[in-house]
Every structure is written in C-alpha cells, then in structure tokens.
Amino acid sequence: MPQFFEMIDPVQHYSWGSRSVLAQMQGRPSPSEQPEAELWIGAHRSAPSQLVLQAGPQPLNELLLEKPERFVRDGDQVVADDGSLPFLLKILAIEAPLSIQVHPSIAQAREGFEREEAAGIAIDAAHRSYKDRSDKPETVVALSRLQILTGMRDRAELGLLAEALDQQWLREVLEHPEPVLRTVLSLPEDRAQAALADLEEAVRRLPADDELGSVLNYVARSHPGDRGLLVALCMNHFVLEPGESMFTPAGQVHAYLQGTAVEIMACSDNVLRAGLTPKHVDVDELLRVVTDDQDPGVPQEAVTGPDGLRRISLWEDRLSLVSGEARPGRELELELELDPSTCTVLCVDGSVTLSSPGAEPVEVGAGHSAWVRADGEPVVVSGQGTFWAVELRA
C-alpha cells in the first residue's frame, strides 16, 4: 500500500545564499538571520532530510540503512551501504557567485576519499576536499532567471577578448599550447595579481549596459582581489530562463552566479574549488580532475507532455526529474513509469496534496517536500501549486 511521509529538509547557510528566497517561499520571517543558500532533500549523511514518523522525526539515511524495504520498494537495489540514494535534490537561492569549481569522476572520488582518509583528515575538516566516494554529475533547472558560467570559451573568442580589452596576460596565455584553464590557474602569484589589476581596470571602462562588463563587475564586487576573475573572463556565460536546464558532467569547470533554481545531482558533496570563495581552494587537485576538453554547454528546455508533466532526462536511466503545475479542478497523475521504487515530491510554489488509493493523503507547502513509498500505484497531485518529483527505478 502506498505511504506518504512529511519531510523536514535542512538548510545550508553558505555565504553566497539569499536571506529572503527560502524564507519567503516557506512563509518564514524575512530577511533571515543568516544567508540561506541551499535546501537539501535527500539522504546525504552530512545533512539528511528527516521523515516525520509517529515516534518523531528520523534521519532518512538511518531509516534507509536500517529498513530500506519499508521506505523503498526494492530498497536493497537502490539504497547504498551508507543509507544514501543515487540522488540529492536541492533548491539553490543564489545571491552572490558560487565558487569556480569542478566535481570528480567516480574513480577520482573514490581515490581522493581513500587518500584523505589515510591521511587522517577529519571528514568535517575545512581543508578536506572529498566528503564521500561518489561522483557529482548535476542538472540545474532555473526557477528564476539564472546566470551561470560553464566550460571555457574557445581560443578564437578569447583572442578577440584579449584585443578588445587589451589584456596582454591573456595574449600570453593563448600563446601556450596547454589548455587555457591550466595555464591561467598556473600563473605565478605576481603575474596573476598584475593580470587581475589590468582586467579590473578594463572592466571598469566598459559601458554600464555591456553584458560581459556587467557579469565581470558583479563577480569583482562580490570577490574583490580574487584571481578567480581571470578564469571567469575565460568561461562561457549563459542566462537560463525559468524552466531551462543545463547538465554539468564530471571534470567541467562551472560557477552559478545569481538566481533561484532546482538542482538534482548524485548524492555527493565533493567539490574542488579554484576561486571566488572563502572556502578551501585546492588548485593542484582541481587541475588533476578537470577535463581538458570542456563542454561548451547547451541550455535545454523540457517539453510538456500530453499528461501535463515535463520530464528532464538525467545522467542515468533509473532517474528522472518531473515537474508540473496543479490547479483547482485539474489533477495530474504522476505515471510511475517502469515501476519506480519511490518518489520525492518538492513543492516550490503554492500548495499541493498527494493522494493514492488506500493511502492517507499529505499536503505539501512551498519550500517543503514529501517522501512517497509508491508501491507502483499512481500518485495523484491536486491543489494549486508547482511541484518537482524525483522518480527512482530499481
């Protein structure tokens, strides 16, 4: 028989987060006391969601570790040894640029995790890079206009920028046969600081309505004196409109700049940073995992199907991300294709009710989620609100 469980999802207080987006979404006082950057929905051991049970809230990862079959059909096939799932769902509330970063492949993550374990680095140490053994492919979907940097511009375009902005350091970088990212990140500190001063001066001369100038001024104001600005100049800039998505594979350099989004990724917190952050920066390790052939990035827009739902393909076949809008007098069925084992439903606007024959319905408000033990039965979404669902098949 299907079951629905209310979830309590943790908020991550990173410096780049908004003090209003999540608070207003959840109907709490705004501005919040601290920046609220991410809402995590999932079973990552560092910040798991909790399921509301009769005995009280319990961490999802512990429940899945102890009794996976109670909460996930075919749980022994989809729940990892540490109680985690193949995905982590988030809401991102971005008020300042995130770090320029890269995520490792699965092989790199396992090797890095074991290396740091053997070195005796505490799992919560500020200078630890590998928090788990998983890779971190991720897909981000814009809820508002979302500015991002991803991948590297080609050499021809960078050559034009070097001349337009009169950047001698960039001309010299382009003379090297090595990939541009590696050359920029390997600049000696004195040369990097001189290049940064030249770039900041050039950016200040650009017209106020210049797109590139606006982006680089925003980055420079958020992180003054950070050599990550040199990398930002060399990266592709995109603006995703609401509903558009973009996939980031392992080894891809990227940075989210501004906006609100839903993000789904593998259940990992492994990040190698190169700049634009007060957190641990490990350029050498980033250069070890970054791919030399950077994906130029292509925004995708999901098409609404005849059932009124939009489906976004993910990095593995057993996962899919689904969104829809429930309105009074209209019900949407989440057709759990290929017999999905479970479904997490997140509401981002309004309020929706989840119901299924024989199950006690549950109401989910904006900024909150529910865990569904579906048992292959259809889940009906009603009410008035926008929701996202993760479907997981064994």
Side-chain angles (χ1 to χ4, degrees):
M1 181 179 72
Q3 288 182 284
F4 303 116
F5 302 91
E6 294 181 32
M7 300 177 76
I8 300 173
D9 303 310
V11 173
Q12 303 287 20
H13 302 283
Y14 305 143
S15 60
W16 49 264
S18 168
R19 293 177 182 266
S20 60
V21 170
L22 290 177
Q24 291 177 4
M25 185 182 292
Q26 295 182 335
R28 296 183 281 108
S30 174
S32 56
E33 292 184 1
Q34 302 179 66
E36 297 180 335
E38 298 182 350
L39 184 74
W40 284 25
I41 303 98
H44 194 285
R45 67 179 184 179
S46 67
S49 298
Q50 298 182 76
L51 300 194
V52 179
L53 308 178
Q54 287 187 341
Q58 301 290 325
L60 177 57
N61 63 323
E62 294 181 9
L63 293 172
L64 295 178
L65 189 60
E66 294 169 3
K67 298 179 179 178
E69 290 293 335
R70 180 187 173 190
F71 300 98
V72 185
R73 192 159 61 97
D74 300 321
D76 59 337
Q77 298 181 47
V78 297
V79 178
D81 292 341
D82 61 355
S84 65
L85 293 161
F87 71 89
L88 178 61
L89 186 65
K90 297 181 179 181
I91 297 177
L92 307 181
I94 306 165
E95 188 106 326
L98 278 69
S99 60
I100 295 174
Q101 58 188 261
V102 171
H103 306 309
S105 68
I106 186 68
Q108 292 165 339
R110 288 171 178 169
E111 187 277 329
F113 183 87
E114 297 302 337
R115 175 163 31 95
E116 293 189 336
E117 286 285 282
I121 303 174
I123 198 71
D124 58 351
H127 63 291
R128 176 135 185 174
S129 295
Y130 295 93
K131 304 296 181 66
D132 49 66
R133 297 178 177 86
S134 177
D135 56 346
K136 194 182 178 186
E138 59 189 35
T139 293
V140 67
V141 189
L143 294 180
S144 69
R145 295 184 84 244
L146 181 69
Q147 291 198 62
I148 70 174
L149 299 174
T150 186
M152 303 298 289
R153 301 177 191 266
D154 63 37
R155 285 177 174 269
E157 186 177 1
L158 288 174
L160 294 175
L161 284 177
E163 296 309 316
L165 299 177
D166 191 20
Q167 297 296 291
Q168 181 60 27
W169 68 271
L170 185 52
R171 296 188 188 101
E172 294 171 359
V173 162
L174 293 172
E175 292 174 357
H176 285 263
E178 283 283 304
V180 169
L181 178 62
R182 294 183 181 276
T183 306
V184 172
L185 289 178
S186 300
L187 288 173
E189 185 62 22
D190 57 343
R191 288 185 61 197
Q193 289 303 319
L196 182 60
D198 286 347
L199 179 56
E200 289 175 335
E201 177 61 30
V203 169
R204 283 192 288 269
R205 294 195 300 266
L206 290 173
D209 60 351
D210 182 87
E211 180 181 352
L212 177 62
S214 175
V215 171
L216 295 180
N217 264 309
Y218 169 65
V219 172
R221 287 195 306 270
S222 300
H223 297 277
D226 193 310
R227 57 187 290 177
L229 184 68
L230 304 178
V231 181
L233 171 67
C234 300
M235 295 174 69
N236 298 307
H237 173 242
F238 291 94
V239 178
L240 301 188
E241 297 297 336
E244 290 187 319
S245 65
M246 185 168 284
F247 172 65
T248 301
Q252 175 89 350
V253 64
H254 62 288
Y256 302 147
L257 299 182
Q258 191 174 47
T260 306
V262 166
E263 184 181 43
I264 184 168
M265 61 186 63
C267 191
S268 174
D269 198 23
N270 289 328
V271 181
L272 289 311
R273 302 177 181 88
L276 306 186
T277 179
K279 293 184 178 181
H280 176 55
V281 171
D282 190 340
V283 172
D284 289 341
E285 187 66 14
L286 182 145
L287 289 177
R288 198 177 73 84
V289 304
V290 71
T291 55
D292 289 337
D293 294 326
Q294 292 284 297
D295 189 322
V298 179
Q300 303 290 330
E301 185 170 2
V303 178
T304 302
D307 57 0
L309 299 175
R310 298 182 297 277
R311 285 183 168 82
I312 296 175
S313 298
L314 300 177
W315 55 90
E316 59 173 284
D317 291 342
R318 62 177 172 169
L319 283 172
S320 58
L321 183 62
V322 180
S323 70
E325 296 180 5
R327 294 290 178 261
R330 167 185 170 193
E331 294 183 342
L332 298 179
E333 278 197 0
L334 294 183
E335 297 294 344
L336 303 180
E337 299 176 352
L338 302 177
D339 196 24
S341 297
T342 190
C343 184
T344 295
V345 180
L346 166 68
C347 181
V348 296
D349 176 63
S351 176
V352 299
T353 298
L354 310 180
S355 60
S356 188
E360 185 72 23
V362 64
E363 183 176 351
V364 186
H368 297 280
S369 64
W371 183 262
V372 180
R373 172 64 155 85
D375 266 348
E377 296 291 334
V379 176
V380 177
V381 185
S382 58
Q384 184 163 358
T386 304
F387 64 91
W388 292 83
V390 179
E391 296 178 343
L392 174 62
R393 294 168 287 279

